[in-house]
Amino acid sequence: MTMAKKLALRFDSIGLREKLLFSMLAAILFISITIALVSRYILVSSLTHELEMRGFAIAHSVAERGGSYLLDNDVPKLLTLIFDEARLRQRKNLVAYIFIEDQNGNILAHTLTQKLPDTLRGNSLPKDKHDSIKRLELDGQDVYDLAAAINEGLYRIGTVHVGLNKSHIDSLVGKLRVAFLGFISAVVLITMFLSSWLSKYITKPISDLTRLSDEISRGNFDIPHHLVPDEDWDTSRCPAFTNTDLPCWHFDQSRSGEKPGEAHRKCADCAFYRKHAQGDEVIQLGDSFRNMVWSIKLYRRRLRESEEKYRSLFDSGPDPIFVVECESGIIRDANPRTMELYEYTMEELIGMRFLQLGPEHNEGCLEYFTEGGGGCVYFPKLLHYKKGGEPFFVNMHACPISYRGRHAIIIAVTDITELIEKDAQLIQAGKMKSLGEMSAGVAHEVNQPLNAIKMGSEFLSMMQEEGVEVPREDFLQVVKEISTQVDRAAEIINTLRSFGRKSDLIEERVNLNQTVNAVLSILRRQFELDNIRFTLDLHDDLPPILAHSNRLQQVIFNLITNARDALNDKSSPADGTENRRIMIRTGVKDNTVSIEVEDTGSGIDEKDKPKIFEPFFTTKEAGQGMGLGLAISYGIVRDYGGIIRIDSQRDKGTVFHMEFPAANTRGETKA
């Protein structure tokens, strides 16, 4: 762990007062040190520069005044001059030496009491410069040697050197450093005192609020609030607390911006709600905390009553209700009605996987919500099983909820087994009626293979009676034709048996092309006798759908017979076949299988379109049948997740367009 992380952890572990104290102290200290360093840099730089300028001023003064002495080679006056300049005022502490040399580098005069050291000859002045500065050493002490040219007209006749004591400059800088250190120390002490006083003033009320919060988190809402002297928790004074149906003005109606009604006008000056009119932020925080506690008490009471009310509704519901955890699919709660319908005990239901009650369909419900589906969803006509394995049909309503902090769904189940049986009886009655209507066509269809069989058998019998030997090739051809016609008759009978038997709701993989051909094998001949022709456009590679072939045959049969009635309303068999056609198309697009049944009949009036799927709506005259066909068809299509669209114009025919999801889009593996 790095030092920064250790310091951060250490800082997080201390109290708020220490954090405030440390933060304010660090901020003031940082600012003070920054100001001190910047000021010191500016002042030290200015002081050093000023001393250098003073040294150059001495050098230039000597150069100007000593030029004539240098020309006259008057060394005594040069000595007097440089000694006077070195001892003037406070210069004796600053100026270490002054010496003059001629243009050949010979020393003419100096202020030292000893021979001029060679180390001081290191600052030679170039010909193109008038002055120069260089750091040199004199008797183990650092000095700044400032050289200035002595000119006479345009010619340099000598050089004057002034040495400044670096130790003297450093002592002046040291005095500045001590002054700034004292300033920073005073600032730190004052900051510590003020920070300690302010942090104590701020953190004490917050400590009291923390103590109150701990008590409230344990459920103690009656603890006195010491931040406010006139604290009163007498809940009987508030009508909204004693009567949860009565709204609280400050916590309910105030959010809508409405004024309180006449019955609640007396609550406008609430004895519990504080408006933060006076006091600093800490006092206002205490008032806000008080208001929060009161609202928690109020809504806690309301929540408890609401939970009791809805728990009673949950337990007394007439239909089974489950609470299922989405991720695991486990039943977490159930009402007593579930035990009656499913015949499990409550101990067996709680902890059971919801899929066990309906393995074929419940998985789709759970997947919808685990994959991000929102809102309530309706799942009609699903197959569930009781404890002993007895199946029954249900409708399910599922809605997402939060249960004990987890994503769950609440599922209401309605037993519709009796309704399904009645629906099946109604469909079966419609089938029997349809078989009666098909009897003439069926008889003709069966008659054809029977006639062929009879002709073949009579031919063989006659050849046998007359003693005529039948060639082997002809004999095999007659026998093969008889076998083919037997198969054709058996296929017609099997189709009738399949169409006429009572259907169930167990889904299977169905190819719509096969369903269309099965219906046409029964109806085609009968319709052709009425001069009605079929035009087929069936997709070659049609994927299967999940449905029931027998029930889909009923749908297609209903649509075709309705098309026949529409054709008969517009024309008669004597009008020919040109305007008496029924077109059937199948196709697939984007995992959706479609089928269309189109006719060239009379069409549907606009005023009748909204009502054509009502169970007993019909435009036929009395005695010509009821309008149950389309209603049954619509219900069957919807059961398999399909939809029906209608495009119809008066005297231009009708198109019934149906779409079904392909089997692979409903949890099945595509074949």
Side-chain angles (χ1 to χ4, degrees):
M1 183 181 295
T2 62
M3 182 61 67
K5 290 184 177 180
K6 290 182 179 179
L7 291 176
L9 292 175
R10 180 71 175 175
F11 186 78
D12 291 338
S13 63
I14 63 177
L16 178 60
R17 182 181 179 185
E18 289 76 12
K19 287 181 180 177
L20 290 174
L21 182 62
F22 178 78
S23 300
M24 289 189 286
L25 180 62
I28 298 298
L29 190 62
F30 175 77
I31 294 173
S32 301
I33 293 175
T34 302
I35 294 175
L37 291 176
V38 173
S39 302
R40 176 184 175 277
Y41 173 77
I42 295 173
L43 292 175
V44 168
S45 299
S46 300
L47 177 61
T48 304
H49 182 70
E50 178 65 23
L51 293 175
E52 290 175 355
M53 292 299 101
R54 185 179 296 180
F56 277 117
I58 295 172
H60 287 295
S61 176
V62 171
E64 290 178 0
R65 294 166 58 190
S68 59
Y69 301 149
L70 185 61
L71 289 174
D72 297 338
N73 199 22
D74 192 349
V75 175
K77 289 185 178 181
L78 287 176
L79 285 172
T80 302
L81 176 63
I82 62 177
F83 270 101
D84 289 341
E85 290 291 336
R87 298 294 186 271
L88 185 64
R89 296 188 183 91
Q90 300 297 327
R91 292 179 181 176
K92 61 181 180 179
N93 296 325
L94 176 63
V95 178
Y97 61 85
I98 300 177
F99 69 89
I100 298 175
E101 59 183 0
D102 59 15
Q103 60 182 349
N104 297 321
N106 299 318
I107 303 298
L108 301 178
H110 62 83
T111 60
L112 297 175
T113 59
Q114 59 183 2
K115 181 182 179 181
L116 188 73
D118 293 336
T119 57
L120 299 181
R121 307 293 297 274
N123 186 18
S124 60
L125 186 65
K127 293 182 179 182
D128 57 343
K129 290 187 178 181
H130 296 286
D131 50 40
S132 173
I133 183 172
K134 190 173 183 180
R135 184 173 175 178
L136 303 175
E137 185 177 341
L138 176 63
D139 296 334
Q141 302 291 328
D142 291 336
V143 295
Y144 292 103
D145 186 82
L146 288 75
I150 302 175
N151 296 324
E152 182 65 31
L154 298 177
Y155 300 98
R156 178 182 298 178
I157 60 176
T159 305
V160 58
H161 291 261
V162 177
L164 301 180
N165 285 318
K166 184 177 181 298
S167 60
H168 181 70
I169 297 175
D170 291 342
S171 66
L172 295 177
V173 172
K175 292 178 181 179
L176 285 176
R177 185 181 294 110
V178 172
F180 279 111
L181 181 61
F183 169 75
I184 294 174
S185 300
V187 170
V188 170
L189 292 175
I190 295 172
T191 302
M192 290 180 63
F193 174 76
L194 293 177
S195 300
S196 177
W197 180 75
L198 288 174
S199 61
K200 180 179 179 181
Y201 174 77
I202 294 174
T203 57
K204 185 179 183 305
I206 297 178
S207 299
D208 293 339
L209 287 177
T210 302
R211 178 179 55 83
L212 294 173
S213 299
D214 292 338
E215 291 295 329
I216 291 170
S217 65
R218 299 185 183 99
N220 183 11
F221 285 85
D222 297 322
I223 184 172
H225 195 321
H226 295 300
L227 292 179
V228 183
D230 58 342
E231 185 62 39
D232 186 4
W233 293 100
D234 186 6
T235 55
S236 62
R237 294 175 53 191
C238 178
F241 187 86
T242 55
N243 181 9
T244 55
D245 293 330
L246 187 67
C248 174
W249 159 245
H250 289 290
F251 299 119
D252 293 322
Q253 293 182 348
S254 62
R255 289 178 295 183
S256 63
E258 301 176 358
K259 294 183 177 180
E262 293 297 331
H264 311 133
R265 182 73 64 180
K266 61 182 180 180
C267 294
D269 293 329
C270 182
F272 301 95
Y273 182 75
R274 299 189 183 277
K275 301 179 181 179
H276 319 313
Q278 297 179 350
D280 58 17
E281 286 79 2
V282 177
I283 299 300
Q284 294 180 12
L285 177 62
D287 289 343
S288 297
F289 185 83
R290 183 184 188 279
N291 297 335
M292 179 193 69
V293 172
W294 171 246
S295 64
I296 291 175
K297 290 179 66 175
L298 178 65
Y299 288 120
R300 191 171 179 233
R301 179 181 177 87
R302 293 183 179 181
L303 180 61
R304 183 169 59 250
E305 291 191 1
S306 176
E307 287 180 349
E308 293 173 354
K309 177 172 66 176
Y310 286 105
R311 187 69 197 186
S312 64
L313 292 175
F314 180 82
D315 291 338
S316 61
D319 293 326
I321 303 176
F322 297 93
V323 176
V324 181
E325 187 178 305
C326 282
E327 294 182 0
S328 61
I330 293 176
I331 300 173
R332 295 302 182 187
D333 199 0
N335 68 345
R337 179 71 177 114
T338 58
M339 296 186 292
E340 300 176 13
L341 181 61
Y342 289 87
E343 298 178 356
Y344 287 96
T345 64
M346 188 61 69
E347 290 75 14
E348 292 173 327
L349 285 173
I350 304 300
M352 177 188 294
R353 292 180 60 82
F354 188 61
L355 291 180
Q356 293 181 237
L357 302 180
E360 293 89 352
H361 304 97
N362 287 352
E363 185 175 2
C365 173
L366 295 177
E367 287 180 352
Y368 174 81
F369 289 99
T370 54
E371 293 175 359
C376 297
V377 186
Y378 175 66
F379 298 92
K381 297 181 180 178
L382 305 182
L383 191 63
H384 279 196
Y385 296 90
K386 297 184 179 181
K387 183 177 181 179
E390 179 183 351
F392 63 99
F393 291 96
V394 298
N395 289 338
M396 286 197 330
H397 285 84
C399 296
I401 62 170
S402 177
Y403 183 78
R404 296 179 180 177
R406 293 180 176 271
H407 184 205
I409 50 177
I410 185 167
I411 301 173
V413 176
T414 304
D415 184 5
I416 59 168
T417 305
E418 185 176 349
L419 296 177
I420 291 292
E421 292 177 353
K422 291 181 179 179
D423 184 45
Q425 292 174 3
L426 185 62
I427 294 175
Q428 190 67 17
K431 289 181 181 180
M432 294 301 102
K433 176 178 176 296
S434 300
L435 286 175
E437 294 175 354
M438 293 187 299
S439 58
V442 171
H444 180 80
E445 288 294 320
V446 175
N447 242 358
Q448 284 186 335
L450 290 179
N451 287 335
I453 293 171
K454 182 177 180 181
M455 290 175 60
S457 61
E458 287 179 349
F459 170 76
L460 294 177
S461 178
M462 182 179 65
M463 293 296 101
Q464 182 66 28
E465 290 176 356
E466 294 180 358
V468 178
E469 184 178 354
V470 180
R472 179 177 177 80
E473 293 80 5
D474 294 342
F475 179 80
L476 291 176
Q477 182 178 359
V478 172
V479 172
K480 184 177 180 180
E481 181 64 23
I482 291 174
S483 177
T484 300
Q485 296 302 324
V486 170
D487 291 339
R488 181 183 176 189
E491 181 181 354
I492 295 173
I493 293 172
N494 288 334
T495 302
L496 285 175
R497 291 175 60 188
S498 174
F499 185 79
R501 75 170 184 265
K502 184 177 180 180
S503 62
D504 50 29
L505 290 178
I506 303 301
E507 293 179 350
E508 57 187 351
R509 302 169 71 86
V510 177
N511 188 297
L512 284 178
N513 289 344
Q514 297 176 357
T515 304
V516 170
N517 290 326
V519 174
L520 292 183
S521 67
I522 301 174
L523 296 180
R524 185 189 295 271
R525 181 58 183 169
Q526 182 178 348
F527 277 51
E528 288 176 351
L529 292 176
D530 288 338
N531 277 340
I532 297 175
R533 295 294 182 265
F534 289 94
T535 301
L536 302 182
D537 183 11
L538 305 182
H539 193 278
D540 294 333
D541 189 17
L542 200 66
I545 65 173
L546 288 180
H548 191 275
S549 179
N550 186 273
R551 303 185 83 211
L552 287 181
Q553 288 178 19
Q554 178 71 36
V555 172
I556 297 172
F557 179 87
N558 291 338
L559 295 179
I560 291 176
T561 53
N562 280 347
R564 178 196 60 190
D565 295 338
L567 290 171
N568 289 335
D569 288 341
K570 184 178 180 181
S571 61
S572 65
D575 294 336
T577 60
E578 178 152 352
N579 294 323
R580 294 172 63 81
R581 289 179 291 106
I582 298 176
M583 287 73 73
I584 302 178
R585 309 179 190 90
T586 60
V588 60
K589 182 180 180 181
D590 297 333
N591 284 325
T592 300
V593 181
S594 64
I595 179 172
E596 287 184 351
V597 178
E598 179 181 358
D599 62 62
T600 58
S602 58
I604 304 173
D605 284 335
E606 288 294 329
K607 63 181 179 63
D608 295 331
K609 285 183 180 180
K611 300 182 288 184
I612 61 173
F613 289 126
E614 294 179 4
F616 297 100
F617 173 77
T618 181
T619 57
K620 300 177 183 179
E621 298 179 1
Q624 294 186 4
M626 301 297 289
L628 280 174
L630 287 181
I632 292 174
S633 300
Y634 178 73
I636 293 173
V637 171
R638 186 178 56 184
D639 286 346
Y640 302 126
I643 59 173
I644 296 181
R645 293 200 302 269
I646 304 170
D647 182 13
S648 178
Q649 296 183 12
R650 195 63 178 166
D651 296 328
K652 291 186 179 181
T654 302
V655 180
F656 284 94
H657 179 87
M658 295 178 289
E659 293 181 356
F660 299 88
N664 63 304
T665 65
R666 299 182 60 190
E668 295 286 330
T669 303
K670 187 174 181 181

